[in-house]
Amino acid sequence: MRRNAKLISLVLGMMLIMPAALAAGQSGLATAARQGTASFHDVNQAGSAGYVSTLESLGCFENPGTGGMGLHYLNLSLLDGSVDAATPEALVYEMTENGKLKLAGVEYIVPLGAWGGEDPPELFGRSFHVNTTLGLWVLHAWVWTPNPLGMFEDWNPSVGLCPEGVPVFGS
């Protein structure tokens, strides 16, 4: 009986520790994302690192019923089928009404054809999902602007919608 009680205590203890350990791992990856992108609050630094605006090709991303996603700056040289928390394939900027760009989050991207696995790519303990329109596996991480819907949701109500007159994706 005493042995069963010890086993139950051990299992209950592990159940309490595991979520904290997983959260710490996710937090460490989010820290790596912030550290790897901190200099990109200055969009000129992003440009110097190979990130280019997708405004002309894709426009600004928004979902008026849910929230903004903003303007993406993409580094085409990183679309190689691998992901690194500190080096996202895209930077996500909120476009403010006064024309300023504010780094809000990052996006990890794997072209569908570049992924050889049967299961989706994963990062932060999260599976990527398919953007069928663009033919990509994607995962957003709102590491600079908190998202009340969750760090890894596509849309963020805390990010403003695209300013008037700016082309919007899909329109």
Side-chain angles (χ1 to χ4, degrees):
M1 189 65 149
R2 197 175 269 193
R3 194 164 138 168
N4 285 343
K6 285 184 180 181
L7 181 61
I8 290 170
S9 291
L10 177 65
V11 169
L12 289 174
M14 292 299 288
M15 289 172 62
L16 293 173
I17 292 170
M18 288 305 290
L22 289 172
Q26 287 181 356
S27 175
L29 288 170
T31 298
R34 281 191 289 276
Q35 289 174 344
T37 60
S39 67
F40 302 142
H41 286 283
D42 177 348
V43 73
N44 294 316
Q45 292 293 320
S48 294
Y51 289 90
V52 295
S53 171
T54 63
L55 184 60
E56 289 184 24
S57 58
L58 296 175
C60 178
F61 290 73
E62 67 177 22
N63 183 340
T66 308
M69 189 187 295
L71 175 62
H72 291 62
Y73 269 66
L74 183 64
N75 188 325
L76 294 172
S77 70
L78 297 175
L79 294 176
D80 59 5
S82 66
V83 292
D84 174 7
T87 313
E89 287 73 18
L91 306 171
V92 181
Y93 289 91
E94 178 176 11
M95 299 181 77
T96 65
E97 290 298 329
N98 65 3
K100 300 283 184 190
L101 295 178
K102 177 186 169 202
L103 184 59
V106 298
E107 185 174 7
Y108 300 93
I109 301 170
V110 175
L112 291 178
W115 186 248
E118 289 184 26
D119 295 323
E122 286 188 10
L123 189 64
F124 301 106
R126 298 288 181 137
S127 294
F128 286 42
H129 65 275
V130 174
N131 179 315
T132 53
T133 303
L134 298 174
L136 304 169
W137 289 104
V138 298
L139 179 69
H140 286 86
W142 298 99
V143 296
W144 293 108
T145 299
N147 186 347
L149 301 177
M151 178 183 250
F152 304 106
E153 293 298 317
D154 285 340
W155 305 105
N156 186 341
S158 299
V159 171
L161 300 179
C162 304
E164 187 78 25
V166 170
V168 175
F169 177 75
S171 60

